[in-house]
Amino acid sequence: MIRTSALRQTPTLVGKNVCLVPLGPEHTDAYFAASLDEEVRRLTGAHGHLTYEQARQWCESRAGRPDRLDLAILAPGDGRYLGELSLYAVSPENETAGYRIALSAIEFTGRGLGKEATQLVLEYAFDRIGLHRVWLYVYAFNMRAIAVYRSCGFHVEGRLRDSLLWEGRRHDALLMAVLRGGFERS
């Protein structure tokens, strides 16, 4: 069995270029602003726009959840908001969870921030929570993200054909997963 208390503790995880902290009300403005970025919305397949009130409610409701872990990605020096990530759909019986990450602006891509954040959260997921498997969905056109996930030990397990309709074109999503023994530590 996993340690669900490690989900409720909402850790702070510090790396060289990112700091992961519990997502909370203080992140509402930046979380909302990120939801307006068209390229971020395309990469995550988010058709609708959040209202500020929805963003506020989301950020306020993340703490102490026994079924998920929501963290803000911050720059360690100045605390600038870089994005957010989640371990969600945690299944204690199967020792599995889903994973998602979204950097808040395209300017933050290509700098290793997503990889470092993913490695930090996977280390926590496997070593502290006790998960065996972490899975995710990524759109097949997001080659940069796929390369990052592969470098962290994720493998493609399946393809969901035509799962996203974006601006008149259909796109596949890939199901990827990493097992505790296959996690690539930096």
Side-chain angles (χ1 to χ4, degrees):
M1 287 299 278
I2 66 170
R3 291 176 288 288
T4 54
S5 62
L7 293 170
R8 287 188 299 275
Q9 291 169 350
T10 53
T12 295
L13 307 174
V14 180
K16 181 179 174 188
N17 299 300
V18 298
C19 181
L20 308 180
V21 301
L23 184 67
E26 66 274 20
H27 303 115
T28 299
D29 290 347
Y31 181 83
F32 175 70
S35 76
L36 301 176
D37 186 292
E38 291 299 319
E39 184 62 7
V40 171
R41 289 181 54 250
R42 183 182 77 86
L43 293 173
T44 59
H47 286 286
H49 287 278
L50 284 178
T51 65
Y52 186 84
E53 181 60 21
Q54 289 169 322
R56 185 189 63 74
Q57 288 176 3
W58 179 259
C59 290
E60 286 181 356
S61 67
R62 301 299 87 202
R65 306 260 323 224
D67 60 336
R68 61 184 296 136
L69 180 65
D70 294 283
L71 301 173
I73 306 167
L74 306 179
D78 60 10
R80 182 172 44 155
Y81 182 87
L82 305 173
E84 51 89 25
L85 58 80
S86 298
L87 283 175
Y88 67 99
V90 174
S91 172
E93 303 81 10
N94 296 309
E95 300 175 342
T96 65
Y99 176 64
R100 65 174 205 68
I101 182 172
L103 295 178
S104 63
I106 296 307
E107 70 183 89
F108 301 133
T109 63
R111 298 179 13 196
L113 303 174
K115 180 177 180 176
E116 184 176 349
T118 298
Q119 288 173 325
L120 285 170
V121 82
L122 287 177
E123 186 174 312
Y124 190 81
F126 294 131
D127 296 347
R128 295 292 306 277
I129 299 172
L131 293 175
H132 173 72
R133 179 176 184 270
V134 175
W135 54 268
L136 60 83
Y137 295 109
V138 60
Y139 293 111
F141 59 75
N142 195 345
M143 299 306 292
R144 185 178 301 202
I146 293 167
V148 168
Y149 298 140
R150 285 184 192 279
S151 73
C152 293
F154 283 87
H155 294 277
V156 174
E157 294 186 337
R159 178 177 293 268
L160 288 78
R161 296 178 302 145
D162 290 350
S163 64
L164 175 68
L165 177 60
W166 195 266
E167 296 180 348
R169 294 188 58 210
R170 298 194 184 277
H171 303 276
D172 295 353
L174 302 178
L175 169 62
M176 299 181 77
V178 59
L179 303 179
R180 182 183 310 160
F183 169 49
E184 299 290 331
R185 297 174 193 273
S186 57

